[in-house]
Amino acid sequence: MGDGSQQIGFIEQLILRETPSAYRVAMSLTRNPEASKELVQEASYRILLNQRAFNASRSGTAWFQAVVRNLFIDGRRSFEYRRGVSLSQTIVADGPCYSELLPSDEPGVLEQLERGEDSRAVRRITNRLRKEHKEVLKLCDMQALSYEEAAGVLAVSVGTVRSRLFRARRAFRLLWAKENLAHGG
């Protein structure tokens, strides 16, 4: 059992070492601590089940983060196919709707209005960017992931993250300037 038990020990060490980084990636994807813990736990389980798939010539960090990202994407896809309940649906006739019963950390209507046009403009412009530019901007600039963490999430090299981020920021600045000129700002 010499080789196999050493591999198991290595994979377990990798999971222990990389869990904080994988959790940050999961949080950037789910924006929910409990969902992030579950995602990292499921990723750890999958890695243990498929440990023979690990390629020692690749980064363990990138592998773990890619598993987290792929599980998240698979979960979103399956969720889209399942039927859900509308939060605006009332529970009983003339009663409260589901959304009124759920606790919310979301800011109130007045707070949202106070955030102003700039946040809407940022979203509008970001949505106009190419997919790879939008992804890297959100990970690095909005969710404050390091280049290495973003590379793991996107399953690309750090150099690719840097070049995409440079191009994404440039494209964003150009669109921002055009929008401000068009709106007289």
Side-chain angles (χ1 to χ4, degrees):
M1 255 205 221
D3 239 336
S5 64
Q6 288 176 340
Q7 180 71 5
I8 291 171
F10 173 78
I11 295 297
E12 290 168 344
Q13 289 173 5
L14 178 128
I15 290 170
L16 288 172
R17 183 181 68 240
E18 299 302 332
T19 293
S21 156
Y23 178 77
R24 283 191 301 276
V25 169
M27 276 297 291
S28 75
L29 296 168
T30 67
R31 297 184 183 111
N32 178 306
E34 287 306 312
S36 296
K37 288 176 189 173
E38 289 177 18
L39 191 58
V40 170
Q41 184 177 9
E42 180 64 22
S44 299
Y45 176 71
R46 297 278 180 100
I47 286 171
L48 284 171
L49 283 179
N50 299 303
Q51 57 190 298
R52 295 192 193 281
F54 178 68
N55 180 347
S57 68
R58 295 188 64 212
S59 163
T61 303
W63 184 45
F64 197 166
Q65 291 177 354
V67 171
V68 167
R69 180 175 181 258
N70 291 339
L71 283 171
F72 174 76
I73 291 168
D74 291 347
R76 297 243 357 226
R77 285 181 185 147
S78 69
F79 179 78
E80 290 170 4
Y81 290 111
R82 289 190 309 240
R83 190 166 180 212
V85 174
S86 170
L87 292 178
S88 62
Q89 179 180 341
T90 58
I91 298 168
V92 293
D94 296 326
C97 63
Y98 286 109
S99 64
E100 293 170 356
L101 299 176
L102 296 173
S104 176
D105 293 334
E106 293 294 316
V109 174
L110 291 177
E111 282 183 67
Q112 290 176 353
L113 290 174
E114 288 174 2
R115 290 185 180 170
E117 180 61 29
D118 282 348
S119 63
R120 287 188 293 278
V122 167
R123 279 193 299 275
R124 197 169 42 248
I125 291 170
T126 303
N127 286 334
R128 290 172 50 197
L129 295 174
R130 291 176 33 199
K131 181 183 176 194
E132 63 267 11
H133 290 167
K134 187 184 325 182
E135 287 176 333
V136 77
L137 264 182
K138 285 183 178 180
L139 292 172
C140 293
D141 288 352
M142 296 175 189
Q143 297 168 0
L145 292 182
S146 69
Y147 293 153
E148 292 78 15
E149 291 169 331
V153 170
L154 299 171
V156 298
S157 71
V158 172
T160 300
V161 168
R162 286 188 176 124
S163 65
R164 283 185 187 173
L165 189 57
F166 173 80
R167 290 184 183 107
R169 287 173 176 161
R170 184 177 59 197
F172 183 90
R173 280 192 305 269
L174 288 171
L175 289 170
W176 182 266
K178 284 181 185 177
E179 180 148 325
N180 281 334
L181 284 175
H183 291 87

